[in-house]
Amino acid sequence: MIAELKPNQVRLMMLKVADAIIDAEAMLSQADRDLGDGDHGLGMKRGMEAVKVQLEKLDPSSVEQVFVTVGTAMMSSMGGASGAIFGTVYRAGGKALAGKSHLTAEGMALFLQAALEGVMKRGGAKPGDKTMIDALHPAAVKAQECVAMPLSESLSAIANAAEDGKEASKAMIAQFGRAKTLGEACIGFPDAGACSVTIMLSTMRDYASA
Ligand code: ADP
Ligand code: MG
């Protein structure tokens, strides 16, 4: 059981997240092909390659710095809807951890709540619209319930909540992006961005429980 992570461990965890997203490129692009224009995997891969370049040379002094570095690298390398959306996750989430020397379960709850609020403000979508918010929102709610746990335990519950949210997105009718024009034809397919959120959080869980 791991109670908390130091800034450099958060850096190493995010390098694992970057590799996991890069490895999932084909799956993420297929998910976007089912509902959108098919570029989500490539966009995320480009973002995560930029993240790796920045993290490999970073000697972090804070948890906030690691996450803000991730978000800035995504925002400046990806473009498109998801560059702004996922960049906001890490920049807004990271800023909520200002002054924290370690990442704890409480910090994870602060991170996810600020990420959720930032994305909703930035993109105007809400839970149920079949976007990445449908994985991020249940993850943020679960994180709040788990603040008293060791980080490894809370991340395990958070990753399960995100996975359940991604599965639930299959039944939703999209209200944003290209998928909106599909109407009921999008039922049965998960949102691509929700798949990315799930991979990110399950990789964080794996790092913290290793
Ligand atoms: P694009 O839509 O520019 O092709 P991507 O394919 O990389 O970008 O990303 C699409 C994903 O971005 C969607 O699956 C969805 O999860 C997320 N997304 C798009 N618009 C929004 C929004 N307004 N709010 C939250 N997430 C969004
Ligand atoms: Mg797309």
Side-chain angles (χ1 to χ4, degrees):
M1 264 190 315
I2 292 178
E4 57 186 30
L5 295 175
K6 298 185 184 91
N8 193 50
Q9 291 175 305
V10 177
R11 181 183 77 92
L12 294 171
M13 177 178 80
M14 288 311 304
L15 282 167
K16 297 268 188 217
V17 167
D19 282 332
I21 291 286
I22 291 168
D23 287 348
E25 180 207 335
M27 185 274 265
L28 294 172
S29 287
Q30 184 58 49
D32 192 30
R33 215 168 284 127
D34 292 334
L35 295 175
D37 54 5
D39 63 352
H40 186 62
L42 266 182
M44 292 296 283
K45 182 181 178 195
R46 188 163 64 240
M48 286 303 171
E49 279 167 351
V51 164
K52 285 181 73 174
V53 169
Q54 296 306 317
L55 288 186
E56 271 156 11
K57 61 186 183 197
L58 187 71
D59 178 12
S61 56
S62 70
V63 174
E64 175 192 14
Q65 188 189 14
V66 177
F67 286 133
V68 170
T69 298
V70 169
T72 304
M74 292 186 88
M75 224 175 245
S76 55
S77 63
M78 289 169 63
S82 57
I85 295 294
F86 282 90
T88 297
V89 165
Y90 288 98
R91 286 178 54 86
K95 284 178 190 159
L97 299 176
K100 308 259 181 223
S101 59
H102 292 73
L103 181 64
T104 61
E106 192 192 1
M108 206 57 216
L110 290 170
F111 174 92
L112 288 170
Q113 184 59 34
L116 175 67
E117 285 169 11
V119 167
M120 288 177 63
K121 194 169 164 203
R122 178 120 196 175
K126 57 186 192 312
D129 288 344
K130 201 175 179 102
T131 71
M132 54 78 80
I133 289 172
D134 294 304
L136 187 60
H137 173 252
V141 170
K142 183 57 73 178
Q144 195 55 51
E145 292 168 18
C146 296
V147 288
M149 292 181 183
L151 178 64
S152 54
E153 308 292 299
S154 86
L155 275 171
S156 179
I158 289 166
N160 285 342
E163 171 74 27
D164 291 349
K166 180 204 79 181
E167 287 298 312
S169 78
K170 289 181 181 174
M172 296 170 186
I173 295 177
Q175 306 298 332
F176 276 83
R178 207 172 278 210
K180 192 178 170 183
T181 60
L182 292 173
E184 293 200 352
C186 64
I187 292 176
F189 297 101
D191 173 67
C195 295
S196 283
V197 170
T198 302
I199 292 166
M200 288 170 164
L201 291 171
S202 60
T203 306
M204 291 185 192
R205 172 203 58 207
D206 292 347
Y207 180 85
S209 51

